[in-house]
Amino acid sequence: MLKQNFYIFSRIITDITMDKASRNNLFTAFALLCLICSCSKKDDSSAGDSKGENYSQQAPGKSAHDLLTADRFTTLNIEVLYMKGYAPDGAAIEQWKEFLSSLVHKPGGIRITQTQLPASGKEELSLNDIISIEKKYRKSYTHDNELDVSLIYTDGGYTDPDVLGIAYRNTSICLFGKTIATHSGNVGQVSRTKLMATVLEHESGHLLGLVNTGSDMQADHEDREHIHHCNNQNCLMYYAAETTDILGVIISGNIPPLDDNCRNDLKANGGQ
Ligand SMILES: [Zn+2]
Ligand SMILES: [Zn+2]
């Protein structure tokens, strides 16, 4: 029963943390529960799980050290599952790979595979929809010395239409292709490559434990209004980087980099 609760609450917390600010007060109520349950969760991530499916059920940031270092896993595999008509921008995927390569120690390399899924046909996808899609189609799970991450790229938007992406489990992220397409690539809009790469980098920052969710803060820089985000407006981990609020910022400028505080947290947790 405890385990079941953990899953439910961790989804809600993730959902809230990834969303815009307004629901933060709920977080405090659930935070303690998550903390208690996540401790009890730790044990079943290794034993009796040859396919690594249990390992993939943890909260975002729980695999930060495993992602950043080669202590347990020397290779990183990324399985991109995209819906028909929404093949991800190739240059954005390349840029994302370079971004990850500059942060993690994976002597076996970072491998990215892409698989097309049937269209969902839905205008709006809930977190539960996304979890069901992952359960149905994800083939690649952490095993031996290989750590596996799943990226779902959808043909619909999220229940919050301003959200471009979410990190919802320790090795799972989702980008809302329809919303990204609506806001990029046309005259007067930001380039598709730039927007997609920004959201990919931001969501993977959460998997790497930013902010204060798996990679301990070396200096206090968590945005109190937007939990698990950086308080520096010019940092990639500023909350706006995963919402349509980022559009004005990157339309003329570059993808925001990780600031020193975020880089230091990753380094202290074993990253480059
Ligand atoms: Zn975020
Ligand atoms: Zn930062």
Side-chain angles (χ1 to χ4, degrees), residues 30 66 92 121 158 172 195 247:
F30 291 136
D66 288 345
Y158 193 43
S172 304
L195 184 56
L247 298 169

Side-chain angles (χ1 to χ4, degrees), residues 4-272:
Q4 186 62 30
N5 282 344
F6 169 75
Y7 296 142
I8 291 164
F9 285 116
S10 70
R11 282 173 200 166
I12 293 167
I13 289 168
T14 307
D15 195 20
I16 291 164
T17 59
M18 295 317 127
D19 279 356
K20 296 181 97 178
S22 49
R23 285 156 278 177
N24 279 337
N25 50 347
L26 275 173
F27 177 82
T28 320
F30 291 136
L32 187 63
L33 254 168
C34 178
L35 207 64
I36 292 163
C37 300
S38 61
C39 294
S40 68
K41 184 69 190 69
K42 247 182 180 170
D43 296 333
D44 41 332
S45 64
S46 48
D49 178 28
S50 57
K51 282 168 73 191
E53 285 180 45
N54 288 346
Y55 181 86
S56 72
Q57 302 295 306
Q58 303 171 77
K62 290 285 174 197
S63 292
H65 187 75
D66 288 345
L67 281 159
L68 289 164
T69 70
D71 294 353
R72 283 182 76 189
F73 305 106
T74 50
T75 300
L76 174 60
N77 299 318
I78 298 174
E79 183 181 44
V80 180
L81 304 168
Y82 67 91
M83 292 179 181
K84 197 163 185 280
Y86 285 82
D89 181 282
I93 295 284
E94 241 352 89
Q95 203 164 320
W96 184 38
K97 191 177 172 181
E98 276 171 36
F99 171 80
L100 291 170
S101 303
S102 72
L103 300 173
V104 306
H105 293 281
K106 295 294 166 202
I110 298 175
R111 297 186 210 134
I112 300 182
T113 57
Q114 300 198 27
T115 306
Q116 183 181 282
L117 307 184
S120 82
K122 287 185 170 183
E123 278 296 306
E124 190 181 288
L125 292 146
S126 67
L127 184 60
N128 279 335
D129 289 334
I130 293 152
I131 285 165
S132 305
I133 291 161
E134 179 184 353
K135 195 169 170 53
K136 187 166 179 189
Y137 294 107
R138 179 173 178 177
K139 296 273 186 297
S140 171
Y141 287 96
T142 299
H143 61 100
D144 303 315
N145 58 353
E146 300 186 10
L147 183 52
D148 289 61
V149 165
S150 164
L151 161 66
I152 294 175
Y153 198 67
T154 70
D155 61 356
Y158 193 43
T159 38
D160 180 339
D162 293 329
V163 167
L164 301 166
I166 53 170
Y168 58 99
R169 279 179 181 161
N170 59 325
T171 62
S172 304
I173 62 183
C174 177
L175 262 64
F176 299 96
K178 178 89 178 290
T179 316
I180 288 173
T182 303
H183 293 285
S184 64
N186 294 311
V187 178
Q189 289 185 324
V190 65
S191 86
R192 183 74 40 85
T193 302
K194 204 195 274 186
L195 184 56
M196 189 177 166
T198 303
V199 184
L200 279 173
E201 291 180 13
H202 178 97
E203 300 312 333
S204 50
H206 288 309
L207 299 192
L208 297 176
L210 297 172
V211 171
N212 199 18
T213 179
S215 289
D216 289 346
M217 289 195 291
Q218 303 305 299
D220 185 3
H221 63 107
E222 185 172 18
D223 184 343
R224 297 279 169 246
E225 301 276 294
H226 309 93
I227 204 110
H228 297 324
H229 289 95
C230 184
N231 60 10
N232 178 355
Q233 284 187 47
N234 300 314
C235 177
L236 174 70
M237 295 314 293
Y238 193 59
Y239 78 95
E242 69 192 349
T243 74
T244 51
D245 291 357
I246 193 66
L247 298 169
V249 179
I250 60 169
I251 196 156
S252 53
N254 293 320
I255 297 175
L258 287 173
D259 67 354
D260 286 347
N261 278 330
C262 285
R263 281 304 291 249
N264 289 340
D265 295 352
L266 299 186
K267 279 182 198 158
N269 199 12
Q272 288 189 42

